[in-house]
């Protein structure tokens, strides 16, 4: 018996789709890591896309359609309805300090910031989360100090004021599940 003809309008299964987002992110991760190893420089713009997709997948977030609204994702499950900015930092050399968090949209409506830390293969190692009020308080306190100018937080400071919500070894941490 002959096999039925396939309809060209049928969409391939998720694992067969060459343009499935997870597959593209995996390829982007490899490309970015290879580029860094070849040039010693990060491939501009790619780490944020990888981190947003990782955060959404690992923390049960829905990426926002309109990123201009001031947040990148909306929480589901334990974070139901929370508006979340997603930041990332790829750590190529752990012996170097002074890594900074990217610019926060302080003038927009959001509830927390998630920081995805990635290794030199652009794989997530840890994810931290800090609430808006704690972040604003920390930035304002730093601005009031004569020795500190207002600006992005250091990664070390963010880790100190935030909470660890995911690790590569343990996955979502128990205290983060609601």
């Amino acid at each position: 018996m002959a096999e039925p003809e396939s309809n060209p309008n049928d969409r391939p299964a998720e694992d067969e789709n060459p343009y499935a987002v997870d597959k593209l992110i995996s390829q982007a991760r490899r490309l970015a890591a290879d580029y860094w190893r070849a040039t010693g420089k990060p491939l501009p713009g790619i780490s944020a896309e990888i981190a947003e997709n990782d955060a959404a997948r690992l923390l049960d977030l829905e990426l926002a359609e309109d990123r201009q609204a001031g947040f990148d994702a909306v929480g589901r499950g334990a974070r139901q309805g929370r508006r979340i900015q997603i930041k990332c930092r790829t750590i190529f050399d752990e012996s170097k300090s002074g890594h900074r968090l990217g610019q926060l949209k302080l003038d927009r409506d959001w509830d927390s910031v998630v920081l995805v830390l990635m290794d030199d293969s652009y794989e997530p190692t840890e994810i931290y989360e800090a609430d808006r009020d704690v972040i604003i308080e920390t930035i304002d306190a730093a601005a009031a100090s004569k020795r500190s100018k207002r600006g992005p937080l250091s990664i070390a400071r963010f880790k100190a004021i935030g909470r660890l919500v995911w690790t590569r070894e343990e996955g979502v941490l128990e205290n983060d599940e609601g």
Side-chain angles (χ1 to χ4, degrees), residues 70-75 79 81-85 109-113:
F71 55 92
D72 302 302
V74 176
R79 291 178 181 76
R82 291 180 59 84
R83 298 161 300 176
I84 301 167
Q85 283 190 49
D109 290 330
W110 48 273
D111 300 305
S112 66
V113 174

Side-chain angles (χ1 to χ4, degrees), residues 92-111:
F92 297 106
D93 183 353
E94 291 197 37
S95 68
K96 291 185 179 180
S97 62
H99 295 283
R100 311 290 292 174
L101 191 66
Q103 189 68 34
L104 296 172
K105 298 170 187 154
L106 299 175
D107 60 335
R108 302 292 178 93
D109 290 330
W110 48 273
D111 300 305

